Amino acid sequence: MASEELDSVDKGILYLLQEDARNNTTNAIGEQVGVSSSTVANRITKLEEGGVITGYHPTIDYEQTGMGHHLLIIATVPIDDQEEIVDDLVHVPGVVSVSELLTNNANLSIELVGQNKQEIEKSIGEMSGLGVDIERMDLLKRIRAFPYNHFGKEFTNEDDTG
Amino acid sequence: MASEELDSVDKGILYLLQEDARNNTTNAIGEQVGVSSSTVANRITKLEEGGVITGYHPTIDYEQTGMGHHLLIIATVPIDDQEEIVDDLVHVPGVVSVSELLTNNANLSIELVGQNKQEIEKSIGEMSGLGVDIERMDLLKRIRAFPYNHFGKEFTNEDDTG
DNA sequence: GTTGAAAAGAGCATACA
DNA sequence: TGTATGCTCTTTTCAAC
């Protein structure tokens, strides 16, 4: 039920959701991919239940929110404790995303925000207390996310006059 | 108009949007933060226009979609060409996000997906052709994103019985 | 089992206070 | 910022493929 292949309708839906997951209505999506709105709703439900779509999140420009500091941290944790530590990292103030890597060294990529250096240092301190060994830490200039561009634009009516 | 401070209503809205940006209605958000639905709609519009919210995206489990390969790449590009190269990277198949870092070395973090090694290799080749110098490349185990936990949960009625 | 059409209910945008 | 109205969207049901 989960890892079934996606057909062109699913791919088109995913593509359009990646463009705007909040304001793209099932109606509009249906018109773009050539099915009715109820079909779109059914498909989306299945994609959610099947674990393909795991959530919907806004992309936030932290600099606009007073979070002057936005960092990307590469760190190492013991593999056996990786999951547990990541669970704890959720509760560290300022940590907004964590990517787990399948390596021994530098197996964690952590996105951290804070209003000032004090907040950052406090978060760093908490992370260290959890057993996170920071390898490097760089200022984030910008993050860009885009629809997986071969996911289904071909299955929509969108015009690419770029 | 853009970088004004956020009040508790804004923070509560952002928190709830980060929990579920698609299914959280203005009505539900309004009840949680204690304002009317129209106020929520007005605030969201301002957050969008002010550049605080730059988009809404689903989180997709690429492994469930037949994309067996999910990589995180650390790469270096010439600083002067960074923006231009990132613009080009958008069009490389399989590239789903790019983070620009403010450093000389390893100033790009690229998330790449593909159905098989051939696709990955093809994408790598295109990236190299753009002047992207790959420093390291690791398999992604999992990515987790969470609401910035000190952003406004305190301003909602949510119960944290975890 | 999946899709599409229609009805009922809910949510959203606009105007106005 | 809140309230009210008209309009749109979503959801459910049910028939058809």
Side-chain angles (χ1 to χ4, degrees):
Chain A
M1 191 172 300
S3 49
E4 299 299 322
E5 299 136 29
L6 307 176
D7 65 8
S8 56
V9 174
D10 293 319
K11 291 178 182 176
I13 290 171
L14 284 177
Y15 180 83
L16 292 167
L17 283 179
Q18 286 187 93
E19 277 199 330
D20 189 333
R22 181 171 177 84
N23 301 310
N24 254 338
T25 66
T26 55
N27 251 324
I29 294 172
E31 289 180 9
Q32 294 273 314
V33 301
V35 296
S36 71
S37 63
S38 58
T39 297
V40 173
N42 289 336
R43 293 302 188 95
I44 290 178
T45 300
K46 285 183 182 174
L47 290 170
E48 290 169 351
E49 291 176 347
V52 174
I53 299 174
T54 62
Y56 304 94
H57 303 281
T59 301
I60 294 178
D61 188 337
Y62 289 103
E63 294 183 14
Q64 300 281 3
T65 68
M67 298 288 164
H69 296 70
H70 195 178
L71 307 174
L72 190 69
I73 296 171
I74 305 292
T76 300
V77 296
I79 290 189
D80 292 339
D81 306 332
Q82 192 178 20
E83 288 215 15
E84 183 186 347
I85 290 177
V86 172
D87 286 338
D88 292 334
L89 278 173
V90 175
H91 302 294
V92 174
V95 173
V96 293
S97 79
V98 178
S99 300
E100 301 173 43
L101 305 175
L102 279 178
T103 53
N104 288 320
N105 274 354
N107 50 13
L108 234 47
S109 175
I110 304 166
E111 185 186 349
L112 178 67
V113 298
Q115 293 189 349
N116 47 53
K117 287 185 180 177
Q118 286 71 37
E119 282 193 7
I120 296 293
E121 285 171 7
K122 188 167 182 300
S123 299
I124 300 285
E126 288 194 26
M127 287 167 49
S128 298
L130 293 172
V132 175
D133 183 21
I134 294 177
E135 306 279 355
R136 53 176 290 182
M137 180 162 53
D138 295 309
L139 286 175
L140 260 170
K141 190 176 171 187
R142 180 170 48 165
I143 297 181
R144 293 201 231 177
F146 2 84
Y148 172 50
N149 43 12
H150 284 214
F151 221 23
K153 185 168 192 173
E154 49 190 297
F155 304 118
T156 72
N157 298 330
E158 258 193 26
D159 193 12
D160 185 15
T161 55
Chain B
M1 191 171 301
S3 48
E4 299 298 322
E5 299 136 29
L6 307 176
D7 65 8
S8 56
V9 174
D10 294 318
K11 291 178 182 176
I13 290 171
L14 285 177
Y15 179 84
L16 292 168
L17 283 179
Q18 287 189 88
E19 276 200 331
D20 190 333
R22 181 170 178 85
N23 301 310
N24 254 338
T25 66
T26 55
N27 252 322
I29 294 173
E31 289 180 10
Q32 295 273 313
V33 301
V35 296
S36 70
S37 63
S38 61
T39 298
V40 173
N42 288 335
R43 293 301 189 94
I44 290 177
T45 300
K46 285 183 183 174
L47 289 170
E48 290 170 352
E49 291 176 347
V52 175
I53 298 174
T54 61
Y56 304 94
H57 304 281
T59 302
I60 293 177
D61 187 337
Y62 289 104
E63 294 184 12
Q64 299 282 2
T65 68
M67 298 288 164
H69 295 70
H70 196 178
L71 307 174
L72 190 69
I73 296 170
I74 305 292
T76 300
V77 296
I79 290 189
D80 292 339
D81 307 331
Q82 191 178 22
E83 288 215 14
E84 183 186 347
I85 290 178
V86 172
D87 287 338
D88 292 334
L89 278 174
V90 176
H91 302 293
V92 174
V95 173
V96 293
S97 79
V98 177
S99 300
E100 300 173 43
L101 305 175
L102 279 178
T103 54
N104 287 321
N105 273 354
N107 50 14
L108 233 48
S109 174
I110 304 167
E111 185 187 348
L112 178 67
V113 298
Q115 292 188 350
N116 46 54
K117 289 185 180 177
Q118 286 71 37
E119 281 193 8
I120 296 293
E121 285 171 7
K122 188 167 183 300
S123 299
I124 300 285
E126 288 193 26
M127 288 168 49
S128 298
L130 293 173
V132 175
D133 182 20
I134 295 177
E135 306 279 354
R136 52 175 291 181
M137 179 163 53
D138 295 308
L139 287 175
L140 259 170
K141 189 176 171 188
R142 180 170 47 167
I143 298 181
R144 294 200 231 176
F146 3 84
Y148 172 50
N149 42 11
H150 285 215
F151 220 23
K153 185 168 191 173
E154 48 189 299
F155 304 118
T156 72
N157 298 329
E158 259 193 25
D159 192 10
D160 186 12
T161 54

